[in-house]
């Protein structure tokens, strides 16, 4: 491991082209300011609000993203299926069926520090083939001795499942970050065992919509219960993420700080 403990910038779900542009637009300033050793993004909504394409994934990697995590929209675009099998640093939830394309964890390296990145799906209100709480034990056993730090993206609907996963992994991983609800929560902290935790990081994209969707369309759907076309909102783009400072001790964090930044060029 390198002399200075690593810093991880984890960015919440990029929503649509606006989310991608917001992230790419703000990244140079964030790099300058926080000097992250690792940049990880959840990009399950980056292709027009649903899924991801090989071209977009390539663009994110070209911008210096170290690893991409996904979630329940991982398979929205068919052209990504072979890419998920072929590319190590893009992960879909590890507790999906083995028959589904892709894999659930990867190890990335920077300046001698090995960071494991695990994607998990909650089991409440989301379709995942295996229980997240059992799967993670298997993964931790597999990664034993192979990583210095470990970040788990727990992609889940229910806050209870995410809080539970934080406590379950406290003292065993560097960070547990929640994604999927697109709304950042106010509970970022390092748990007593040394694991950085937040229930939801939030999203990167239009804060002026309803979790990414144009607000007029979302309200119309909620008001009428009729089928309404959903487009990605273009209103009020923000980047939402967390900055995690790893501790000198393996698999422990020193701090976690929320990053909530408007993008004025949007
Ligand atoms: Fe999402
Ligand atoms: Fe999701």
């Amino acid at each position: 491991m390198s002399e200075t403990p690593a810093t991880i910038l984890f960015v919440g779900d990029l929503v649509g082209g606006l989310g991608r542009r917001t992230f790419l637009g703000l990244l140079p300033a964030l790099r300058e300011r926080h000097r992250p050793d690792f940049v990880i993004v959840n990009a399950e909504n980056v292709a027009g609000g649903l899924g991801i394409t090989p071209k977009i994934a390539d663009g994110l990697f070209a911008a210096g993203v170290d690893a991409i995590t996904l979630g329940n929209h991982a398979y929205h675009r068919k052209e990504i299926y072979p890419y998920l099998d072929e590319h190590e640093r893009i992960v879909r939830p590890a507790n999906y069926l083995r028959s589904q394309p892709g894999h659930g964890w990867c190890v990335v390296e920077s300046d001698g520090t090995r960071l494991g990145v695990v994607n998990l799906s909650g089991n409440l209100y989301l379709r995942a083939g295996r229980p997240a709480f059992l799967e993670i034990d298997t993964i931790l056993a597999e990664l034993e001795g192979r990583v210095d730090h470990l970040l788990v993206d727990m992609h889940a609907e229910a806050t209870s499942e995410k809080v539970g996963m934080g406590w379950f992994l406290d003292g065993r991983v560097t960070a547990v970050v929640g994604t999927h609800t697109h709304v950042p929560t106010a509970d970022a902290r390092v748990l007593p065992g040394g694991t950085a935790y937040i229930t939801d990081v939030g999203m990167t994209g239009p804060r002026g919509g309803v979790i990414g969707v144009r607000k007029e369309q979302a309200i119309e759907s909620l008001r009428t219960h009729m089928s309404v076309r959903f487009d990605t909102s273009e209103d009020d783009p923000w980047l939402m993420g967390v900055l995690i400072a790893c501790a000198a001790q393996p698999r422990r964090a020193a701090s976690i700080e929320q990053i909530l930044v408007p993008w004025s060029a949007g």
Side-chain angles (χ1 to χ4, degrees):
M1 215 174 359
S2 78
E3 306 268 300
T4 344
T7 303
I8 306 163
L9 174 65
F10 180 90
V11 178
D13 306 22
L14 307 186
V15 177
L18 181 66
R20 186 178 51 83
R21 293 194 302 277
T22 301
F23 168 70
L24 295 175
L26 287 168
L27 186 59
L30 291 173
R31 279 197 190 280
E32 184 74 35
R33 182 161 180 193
H34 301 292
R35 309 246 166 231
D37 298 281
F38 297 99
V39 177
I40 318 289
V41 297
N42 184 300
E44 67 144 5
N45 304 105
V46 73
L50 296 169
I52 184 166
T53 64
K55 191 176 164 201
I56 297 174
D58 281 343
L60 292 173
F61 286 131
V65 164
D66 295 281
I68 297 172
T69 59
L70 298 167
N72 53 306
H73 297 300
Y75 301 125
H76 192 77
R77 304 288 291 256
K78 284 198 173 62
E79 60 265 46
I80 200 69
Y81 298 1
Y83 193 98
L84 294 178
D85 285 329
E86 290 157 13
H87 291 75
E88 183 70 20
R89 294 184 292 136
I90 183 166
V91 292
R92 47 77 163 162
N95 53 325
Y96 279 3
L97 299 173
R98 294 195 206 288
S99 55
Q100 290 176 283
H103 48 275
W105 57 262
C106 66
V107 180
V108 291
E109 197 167 331
S110 170
D111 198 20
T113 300
R114 298 162 302 168
L115 172 71
V117 178
V118 181
N119 197 191
L120 287 176
S121 168
N123 295 98
L124 291 170
Y125 317 120
L126 288 173
R127 184 190 268 179
R130 295 193 299 273
F133 283 79
L134 300 186
E135 189 71 23
I136 191 62
D137 274 341
T138 308
I139 296 168
L140 291 186
E142 270 177 81
L143 285 174
E144 191 59 48
R146 295 165 70 177
V147 295
D148 302 301
H149 287 284
L150 191 49
L151 176 138
V152 176
D153 172 357
M154 175 67 174
H155 195 80
E157 185 77 44
T159 49
S160 57
E161 257 190 319
K162 295 195 254 192
V163 173
M165 186 59 79
W167 287 121
F168 184 53
L169 297 182
D170 185 25
R172 301 204 282 160
V173 305
T174 311
V176 176
V177 293
T179 56
H180 177 69
T181 69
H182 293 190
V183 179
T185 55
D187 60 343
R189 67 202 193 278
V190 177
L191 299 175
T195 296
Y197 176 79
I198 187 167
T199 297
D200 209 292
V201 165
M203 68 173 187
T204 295
R207 203 181 61 161
V210 175
I211 63 169
V213 172
R214 274 185 54 195
K215 57 181 177 294
E216 298 78 12
Q217 294 173 333
I219 292 166
E220 178 73 1
S221 166
L222 291 163
R223 199 175 62 80
T224 65
H225 297 193
M226 295 301 288
S227 171
V228 177
R229 175 200 160 97
F230 281 174
D231 297 304
T232 303
S233 165
E234 292 289 316
D235 195 14
D236 192 19
W238 279 60
L239 180 146
M240 302 179 185
V242 286
L243 190 75
I244 296 151
C246 299
Q249 193 186 356
R251 298 191 189 198
R252 301 291 187 280
S255 66
I256 177 169
E257 173 196 340
Q258 257 176 320
I259 308 276
L260 303 170
V261 200
W263 186 43
S264 50

